[in-house]
Each structure stands twice: as C-alpha cells, then as structure tokens.
Amino acid sequence: MSTLSVLQYPHKGLREVAPLITVFDDGLRQKVKEMFDTMYQDNGVGLAATQVGLALRLYVMDASPHQNQPLCLINPEVIAAVGEVESEEGCLSFPGVYAKVIRAREVTVQYQDEYGNSHTLTADGLMANCIQHELDHLNGVLFIDHLSKLKRERLLKKLEKIKRVA
Ligand code: NI
C-alpha cells in the first residue's frame, strides 16, 4: 500500500483549479489507487486530487456505512441540483474541526471512471454532500468558504489550537 500526504490548510495547493483529464492510462489508475489507500487510511469519506498536490480533475469517495463502495469521479460535472440541506462537514485538510454547511439536498453528477467510460449518478444524503464538497476542491474552493466570516474565524482559531497541541 502506498499513500500520499494530504495538504493541510492553509497550503496554497488547496486553491489550485484542477485541469480536465484526457489520458486514461495505467499511470492515472495507479494514482487513483494511491488516493483510495490514502483516503481509507485517514478514515476520510472523500479525497480530491488537489488535496494531495496532483493537478488532476478527479476525486475518490466512499460514503457507505462500511466503507466498501469506492467511487472514483473523473471530470465530474453536476448537471442537476435539488433542494437545500444543512449538514456537518469535515475535511482531511482541516483535521479535527467540523462545521455545518448548506448544500443542495440531491444532485445528479456526470463523470468518467478511470477507464474513460461516462456515468450519471443521482444521490442524496452524505453521498450528495460529499460529491459537492469534493467538486469544490477541484475548483480550489474549501468548505470554510461557505461559512460566515464569524464562523470561519472561530473554526480557524480552533484549528490553530489543535495544531499547537499536536
Ligand atoms: Ni475536503
């Protein structure tokens, strides 16, 4: 098993916009495998390529209760979004802090798998949340960007405290 190191906020790499993937080769599939290993090792629900310093428009996720339904979304695009829901989110780039974020309740996403085949998926609950959170990462957007200034400052203060203790 080979894992990657996850960039921690405020690393500048987290603000990069990931370019579209056009080559679906063994090298890409190896990176995907390493991203899954990293996500599972860190007990994450999702991990975007920008979080591990890779300029690739992809993320891996597994929102299943037993972490046995791996999903890799390449060049994802949300084509429909319904409703609104507020739920608590965390992020591997912000270990130990959580915040409530408002997102679409249900989304339909179009994406390619690691062989270049196209798929469409409609999801709600944790999966919908994760799809949106990770897609944000590919655009250099972080979950704290969705918070009010006051809540963001409070969360970042808490993060600093956690880092000092660690
Ligand atoms: Ni995240």
Side-chain angles (χ1 to χ4, degrees):
M1 193 169 90
S2 123
T3 57
L4 307 158
S5 63
V6 178
L7 305 184
Q8 300 299 303
Y9 181 84
H11 196 290
K12 276 199 300 233
L14 294 171
R15 294 299 185 183
E16 294 287 323
V17 176
L20 285 171
I21 293 172
T22 53
V23 180
F24 297 83
D25 60 4
D26 287 345
L28 176 70
R29 287 182 283 276
Q30 179 59 32
K31 291 285 172 231
V32 169
K33 195 189 164 298
E34 288 170 11
M35 284 179 61
F36 272 120
D37 288 345
T38 306
M39 179 189 79
Y40 285 124
Q41 176 181 267
D42 292 354
N43 294 312
V45 177
L47 179 69
T50 43
Q51 287 181 277
V52 288
L54 295 172
L56 297 169
R57 199 157 188 84
L58 78 84
Y59 55 84
V60 296
M61 58 178 275
D62 189 338
S64 69
H66 300 292
Q67 294 243 293
N68 56 4
Q69 287 166 37
L71 256 182
C72 170
L73 287 82
I74 298 179
N75 301 331
E77 210 177 318
V78 169
I79 54 169
V82 182
E84 238 181 37
V85 67
E86 188 181 47
S87 28
E88 192 160 79
E89 292 186 15
C91 180
L92 291 178
S93 298
F94 296 78
V97 294
Y98 302 87
K100 285 192 168 171
V101 178
I102 297 171
R103 297 197 187 267
R105 187 180 52 75
E106 181 191 282
V107 291
T108 299
V109 63
Q110 227 166 44
Y111 65 97
Q112 286 167 285
D113 60 28
E114 53 269 57
Y115 294 90
N117 302 310
S118 294
H119 302 270
T120 304
L121 170 71
T122 298
D124 61 9
L126 178 61
M127 201 176 203
N129 235 55
C130 188
I131 287 169
Q132 296 170 82
H133 176 117
E134 300 309 328
L135 186 49
D136 268 356
H137 272 303
L138 299 182
N139 293 322
V141 175
L142 303 170
F143 80 125
I144 58 165
D145 300 342
H146 292 278
L147 306 177
S148 69
K149 190 166 181 267
L150 183 73
K151 282 186 180 164
R152 181 164 55 243
E153 281 170 0
R154 208 181 288 159
L155 181 142
L156 292 176
K157 230 175 249 172
K158 199 172 165 195
L159 185 66
E160 278 304 311
K161 207 182 273 178
I162 290 172
K163 273 193 209 159
R164 270 202 306 271
V165 173

